[in-house]
Amino acid sequence: MTSPSADRSLFPGVRGVLMCLCLLFLGAAAAAAAPTSGASGQLLAQQAALAYGQGRFADAAGLYQRLVEADGGSAGAHYDLGNCHFKMGDLGQAILEYRRALALDPSLAPAQKNLALARTLLPARVAPWQPSPWEAFMASVPQVTLQGLLLGFSLLGNLGLALILFAAPGRLRRAAAGVLIAGFLCAGLAGLALLYTHSVLPSHQPAVVLRPAAGYAGPEAQGTPLATLPAGSEIILTARAGDRALVMCGEGRGWTSASAVEVP
């Protein structure tokens, strides 16, 4: 008869074998899962294409949405999803998906064509926002240029300061005072311009109105709306405050529901 101590001595070896088998099983499962995700994506694409061909656009949109969420959003998947919304008459969502497709692949000609077509079908189109001459100019100036100007004018101002400190009283010192004032004044302007291009301009995000949205003068949404933005309007989103969003369109700006606008 085997003693209890001898029986217990067998358990570590059995546990080791079981752990090895578990690790082998998990490794095989992980190896099999990699191609499964790709196969699942192909199956979703096939099912979505079949539903679209049969005219079941809502079902196709749901499948393409799953495909977009699964693969991170390819240009083709966004384009196909946009086509589904286009067929269902949801021009706002269609324009949003076409723009997302073009953001990933600007050369995607079918998306360009369908986006242009969707825009012509809008019942009322808001004029696109146009930046002011100042904003357009600042957007065209590289930040490295402004950084160089800031550094150059700062050095010029410090040169004027050094001349004031070490030059003898007279015409040279008066000229140095002018150099100091002009240098630091221009450096300040360059710094403000750099701050503007670094913090203000990037906050201007192109967005699409997904459903009709009333625009108000303030975020409280009180009083008579300034205007109603139709679905599909392409606007500029500049700020958010809770469930409100500050947008610019045409020559004006106003606050509207943040859930009604989405950035491509």
Side-chain angles (χ1 to χ4, degrees), residues 14-30:
V14 173
R15 285 198 297 267
V17 172
L18 290 175
M19 289 180 65
C20 291
L21 289 175
C22 288
L23 290 174
L24 288 173
F25 175 77
L26 291 174

Side-chain angles (χ1 to χ4, degrees), residues 64-65 68-69 72-82 85 92-108 111-112 115 119 206-208 210 234 240 261-264:
Y64 279 126
Q65 184 64 48
V68 164
E69 294 170 354
S74 65
H78 283 293
Y79 167 71
D80 291 330
L81 182 56
H85 288 291
Q93 195 70 44
I95 289 174
L96 177 67
E97 295 301 333
Y98 290 146
R99 291 191 57 170
R100 284 175 172 169
L102 290 172
L104 294 170
D105 183 5
S107 64
L108 189 60
Q112 296 173 353
L115 175 60
R119 285 168 171 166
V208 178
L210 300 181
E234 295 170 87
R240 292 181 183 269
V261 300
E262 192 165 341
V263 177

Side-chain angles (χ1 to χ4, degrees), residues 133-155:
W134 162 255
E135 289 173 318
F137 171 73
M138 292 308 302
S140 66
V141 178
Q143 288 197 8
V144 65
T145 301
L146 295 175
Q147 292 170 350
L149 291 173
L150 176 60
L151 178 60
F153 286 128
S154 297
L155 291 175

Side-chain angles (χ1 to χ4, degrees), residues 158-169 172-173 176:
N158 281 287
L159 175 61
L161 178 60
L163 290 174
I164 290 176
L165 293 175
F166 297 105
L172 180 59
R173 179 174 286 187

